[in-house]
Amino acid sequence: MTANAGVAKAELLRSPLPTPTWGQQRGSAFTVRAVTSINATSSTVLGALLDTSKYPTWNRFVPRVTFSDVSDTDAQGSQQKTQLAEGLTFTEHVDMFGNGKPSGLVKMKLLMTALEKSESNSVEKTDYKVVWLGKGYPDWALRSERVHSIISNSDGTTTYNVFETFSGPLALLLRLFLGPTLVKRFKQWNEELGNHAERGS
């Protein structure tokens, strides 16, 4: 699946994509995927993804992120943690239905399990992969894993490809009741991230 600059394409895949932790899933498993081309460097796109302090300014799908291992301020009143990093557990406050009301946000607990970097000197490009593992439900009930691929292109643009695979007994209900909504929200996430990165974060 490819996308034009600034316009994301999103889809629901009944044949799920494998993920780093869970591998190839079967049964009721499915994947939601979105991809867009962004007129910014891969490092800029990565920075926009990891800097949750700016989420309220551009991210209508996840307007807020909190961290499980820190309070809003420490004893000296320092600013709260805002950067996602490998090994951190965090909570997305998700506006699943786009109503824009704080009271309607749903909390999704996640663990960032990987931040991988690959470089190619031949084309002077840097690619990144970020992985978030769902921790909000017991693994026997619902398994979810989100993989962000940030790929440099030779023309200076970046391809941002994100997918999340869901499996387990609750995945069927999730697909039936929220599948189309997830596709819309992943498309929205990609386009808003792209616009934010193109403004220079």
Side-chain angles (χ1 to χ4, degrees):
M1 182 172 60
T2 59
N4 297 323
V7 179
K9 291 187 176 181
E11 60 184 343
L12 188 150
L13 304 175
R14 295 288 296 273
S15 297
L17 299 175
T19 64
T21 300
W22 301 115
Q24 184 64 62
Q25 301 290 290
R26 292 177 174 81
S28 58
F30 70 98
T31 294
V32 177
R33 177 174 66 175
V35 60
T36 190
S37 179
I38 300 172
N39 189 23
T41 65
S42 60
S43 60
T44 298
V45 176
L46 176 70
L49 177 66
L50 299 182
D51 183 7
T52 68
S53 70
K54 301 290 182 60
Y55 276 27
T57 68
W58 65 266
N59 193 339
R60 289 180 294 163
F61 181 30
V62 184
R64 184 183 178 210
V65 168
T66 53
F67 292 85
S68 300
D69 58 342
V70 292
S71 59
D72 285 347
T73 58
D74 62 22
Q76 288 74 41
S78 298
Q79 188 175 9
Q80 67 179 19
K81 184 178 293 185
T82 60
Q83 288 288 330
L84 296 174
E86 187 173 350
L88 280 180
T89 300
F90 61 100
T91 299
E92 289 185 328
H93 298 253
V94 178
D95 188 356
M96 184 63 70
F97 299 103
N99 59 25
K101 297 179 180 179
S103 60
L105 299 182
V106 178
K107 295 181 180 180
M108 302 291 185
K109 188 176 181 180
L110 299 159
L111 170 66
M112 182 165 159
T113 59
L115 171 52
E116 300 174 4
K117 177 180 178 180
S118 61
E119 297 179 330
S120 175
N121 293 330
S122 60
V123 292
E124 297 182 350
K125 59 181 290 188
T126 303
D127 298 337
Y128 301 93
K129 183 167 76 172
V130 177
V131 182
W132 297 348
L133 184 65
K135 303 297 287 184
Y137 291 87
D139 293 341
W140 62 264
L142 180 66
R143 296 177 292 276
S144 64
E145 192 163 18
R146 195 178 312 172
V147 179
H148 311 257
S149 296
I150 301 170
I151 303 167
S152 298
N153 300 315
S154 58
D155 62 358
T157 63
T158 295
T159 298
Y160 174 64
N161 187 337
V162 61
F163 74 87
E164 186 162 0
T165 294
F166 303 86
S167 61
L170 293 180
L172 176 60
L173 295 176
L174 187 65
R175 177 173 60 80
L176 291 175
F177 288 99
L178 289 177
T181 299
L182 285 169
V183 172
K184 292 178 182 178
R185 293 295 170 258
F186 269 56
K187 182 178 188 296
Q188 176 186 15
W189 169 288
N190 274 39
E191 292 178 347
E192 292 181 343
L193 174 64
N195 291 335
H196 177 60
E198 289 176 354
R199 292 193 299 267
S201 298

